[in-house]
Amino acid sequence: MASLFNAASKAPLPLLHRIGALLGWVTWCASPTYRRRLAANIAQAGLPAATRRLAVVSAGRMVAELPWLWCRRPDAPLGDIVRWEGAEHVEAALARGRGLVMLTPHLGCFEIIAQAYAERWGGQRAMTALYRPARQPWLRDLVAQSRNRPGLETAPATLAGVRQMIRALRKGGTIGLLPDQVPPDGLGVWAPFFGREAYTMTLAARLVQQTGADWLLLACERLPGGRGFVIRASLPDEALPASTDEPDAERLAVRSACVVNRAMERLIRQNPGQYLWGYHRYKAPRALAEPAPAPASDASA
């Protein structure tokens, strides 16, 4: 498999995206569970059924571009294929030196954001990205190769990794997280996501609240025809609640998760066809029952 991955990495990006579109439809046809989940999640968000076609193709392209992305030489520049919008927000946050938490959903080519940041700002402030090691040894080595680059560090999804990220932020470093990923039991709270309760990580908000770091929203759009990518950085619409405003720790966590989820919803609605709608976002961790729908007052608190 590793040899096949390396061979695929040498193909041009437009070809990989064409193959990926086909792969997306093959997966759609082969998996009834995937079809049902993707359609249900899109309907839950109130989006038109036409979004399904775009999402199927986008998911296939995401998989097909991974060999190119993970096997790319560390010294191969991204400047000719990645364009930044809102880079001034990143630069302003780095200049303040309080640390920076960058949040992005599973949207477009989200994997490339860390590499693009490391290439542009890693020499100034290294980025630490949270990761979960792959189960297959050959895939674990490839992922490590992708993420061990100048200006880019990794932190495991463990308590030690959380401590590593806190230390990095207190030194003015940058952290990258995907807050729409379902956390393990005990590391999240139930909060609305597109109108349905979803088990949501508390880590993203806690890192900001505990360190006083800045936080930004990022989304990477995959351009048509394999022409490259646009990474957009933007300021959040809402501030995270502070512990001084909400002394109850559990309620603070829920309110914070609601703010983060609404921020992710805003990014996703800007480009819904490239979101990973087939992801099992509403699953409950083992031994944790899904709660009843939250009252409207809790969702908007």
Side-chain angles (χ1 to χ4, degrees):
M1 285 299 295
S3 299
L4 179 61
F5 224 77
N6 278 291
S9 71
K10 297 175 173 57
L13 191 58
L15 175 59
L16 290 175
H17 280 177
R18 287 196 292 272
I19 295 172
L22 177 60
L23 177 63
W25 284 115
V26 169
T27 305
W28 165 267
C29 294
S31 175
T33 300
Y34 174 67
R35 289 199 302 271
R36 287 194 297 268
R37 182 181 299 145
L38 185 144
N41 288 347
I42 289 174
Q44 178 65 43
L47 295 168
T51 307
R52 299 179 194 176
R53 178 180 59 82
L54 299 173
V56 168
V57 170
S58 181
R61 287 173 176 165
M62 181 201 71
V63 174
E65 71 198 6
L66 288 179
W68 171 84
L69 182 64
W70 287 353
C71 299
R72 193 178 62 85
R73 296 195 328 271
D75 59 345
L78 287 170
D80 57 345
I81 203 167
V82 173
R83 175 166 53 89
W84 282 84
E85 293 182 2
E88 66 274 10
H89 299 308
V90 179
E91 291 170 352
L94 295 180
R96 284 189 287 271
R98 298 193 300 236
L100 173 60
V101 177
M102 301 200 307
L103 305 181
T104 182
H106 289 79
L107 178 70
C109 187
F110 54 89
E111 280 272 354
I112 207 171
I113 293 176
Q115 292 188 19
Y117 171 92
E119 180 177 300
R120 182 159 180 171
W121 293 290
Q124 179 182 354
R125 301 282 184 181
M127 178 178 185
T128 303
L130 187 69
Y131 79 102
R132 291 179 181 174
R135 295 178 181 177
Q136 300 88 347
W138 70 269
L139 185 56
R140 187 161 53 242
D141 293 342
L142 281 173
V143 174
Q145 172 184 318
S146 165
R147 293 172 177 169
N148 292 332
R149 295 173 180 268
L152 179 58
E153 302 173 0
T154 56
T158 62
L159 182 58
V162 172
R163 291 171 177 162
Q164 178 184 341
M165 289 187 289
I166 291 175
R167 289 195 300 269
L169 287 174
R170 287 178 174 163
K171 293 178 181 179
T174 298
I175 298 298
L177 290 173
L178 287 95
D180 60 338
Q181 190 164 2
V182 180
D185 183 12
L187 298 180
V189 294
W190 291 101
F193 184 69
F194 287 113
R196 179 179 172 184
E197 293 294 298
Y199 198 61
T200 303
M201 72 163 61
T202 57
L203 177 61
R206 281 171 45 217
L207 288 174
V208 175
Q209 292 160 333
Q210 291 181 12
T211 65
D214 289 303
W215 63 296
L216 292 175
L217 311 177
L218 282 90
C220 181
E221 177 184 353
R222 185 180 298 108
L223 297 176
R227 296 200 306 271
F229 309 91
V230 177
I231 301 175
R232 297 184 176 91
S234 59
L235 299 170
D237 289 338
E238 305 174 69
L240 288 167
S243 57
T244 53
D245 300 329
E246 181 54 76
D248 183 273
E250 183 176 354
R251 183 168 173 81
L252 174 65
V254 173
R255 289 181 59 194
S256 301
C258 288
V259 171
V260 172
N261 277 356
R262 286 193 291 268
M264 295 301 100
E265 289 177 13
R266 176 169 69 84
L267 293 182
I268 293 164
R269 289 191 184 280
Q270 290 172 358
N271 190 9
Q274 292 195 20
Y275 186 60
L276 200 62
W277 293 107
Y279 178 59
H280 198 356
R281 180 65 185 92
Y282 298 105
K283 70 178 178 180
R286 291 181 180 179
L288 189 65
E290 184 176 354
S297 58
D298 289 346
S300 59

